[in-house]
Amino acid sequence: MRVLVATAVPVERDAVARAFTGPAREVPLPGVVLQRLPGGYDLLAAGVGPALAAASTATALTAAALERVPYDLVVSTGIGGGFLPDAPLGSLVVADEITAADLGADTADGFVPVTELGFGTVTHRPSEALVRAVAAATGARAGTVLTVSTVTGTAARATALRARHPRALAEAMEGFGVAEAAAAHRVPVLELRAVSNPVGPRDRAAWRIGDALTALTAGFGKLAPALESWNHHDRTH
């Protein structure tokens, strides 16, 4: 398999790289640089937020398609906030739904997703077989991972998000953008997050970024065998 792994920032990319042996080779592309690892994995620090993540991921996917060596899977990954108590600090979450939580309109009657306005999409659903395989291999809990353009910083917003998305386990800022790029190229997508902080009031003293990065490395150390066992016929786009 050829796998493109997209993180937001280099420290997350480097945490993923520590799960693999062998030197990485830099592959420059327009606006981005891939780190190519042995075994078919390309790592990309795609940038913060759904728009930049989508643009960077699309660049890598397009380059691979033009070279006639397309990717078999795109993985959006990194650290993120977890909805307590279901996703405690240091745990892993794998998305069975990747949902843009704030793509829509605020109205007097509440938030209206863009789909209810009559256009667009707000959710991508990874392969059920792949999600099950990854959850079993890594110990990650499966549920909705929300993509937000503004990180949640209050208890009121955390409560509102969970009310609209009761299966939400985590929030981050890139998954939906990466999924949009993958969908445009008809490549399956996966999102795996390590929880570094609770979703809610911003208390930096409570963040456990180091523990989350360690969990991310450990998760990717177990991920490759799960991907290799993933049945080609079970892939969905």
Side-chain angles (χ1 to χ4, degrees):
M1 291 184 66
R2 293 200 72 226
V3 182
L4 175 64
V5 180
T7 69
V9 295
V11 68
E12 296 167 316
R13 178 201 62 202
D14 295 345
V16 173
R18 286 194 290 273
F20 298 87
T21 58
R25 176 169 63 90
E26 288 195 348
V27 179
L29 299 175
V32 298
V33 176
L34 295 177
Q35 284 196 355
R36 180 153 292 163
L37 297 171
Y41 285 79
D42 285 354
L43 310 186
L44 171 66
V48 175
L52 184 53
S56 299
T57 302
T59 295
L61 288 166
T62 299
L66 290 174
E67 293 172 1
R68 297 188 179 182
V69 285
Y71 292 104
D72 299 295
L73 178 69
V74 179
V75 182
S76 175
T77 195
I79 63 177
F83 287 93
L84 300 179
D86 298 317
L89 303 189
S91 67
L92 292 173
V93 172
V94 59
D96 57 17
E97 293 186 346
I98 302 170
T99 296
D102 50 14
L103 182 60
D106 276 322
T107 74
D109 297 321
F111 180 80
V112 179
V114 71
T115 48
E116 293 185 20
L117 299 176
F119 52 90
T121 184
V122 293
T123 295
H124 291 276
R125 293 177 176 83
S127 159
E128 293 181 7
L130 178 58
V131 170
R132 286 194 303 268
V134 170
T138 65
R141 182 166 182 182
T144 302
V145 176
L146 303 179
T147 298
V148 295
S149 297
T150 301
V151 172
T152 299
T154 66
R157 186 171 189 245
T159 299
L161 284 176
R162 201 68 186 280
R164 291 204 306 268
H165 307 281
R167 295 185 65 258
L169 295 180
E171 74 165 25
M173 300 183 74
E174 293 78 33
F176 184 77
V178 171
E180 286 278 84
H185 283 261
R186 299 184 61 79
V187 178
V189 69
L190 180 75
E191 184 169 10
L192 182 68
R193 291 286 168 180
V195 177
S196 59
N197 57 277
V199 177
R202 289 175 65 79
D203 177 11
R204 295 183 69 92
W207 294 2
R208 298 293 181 267
I209 292 176
D211 292 344
L213 293 172
T214 297
L216 196 63
T217 302
F220 268 85
K222 302 171 182 176
L223 186 65
L227 298 185
E228 291 169 6
S229 67
W230 175 35
N231 188 328
H232 174 82
H233 299 292
D234 288 333
R235 296 179 188 177
T236 59
H237 301 292

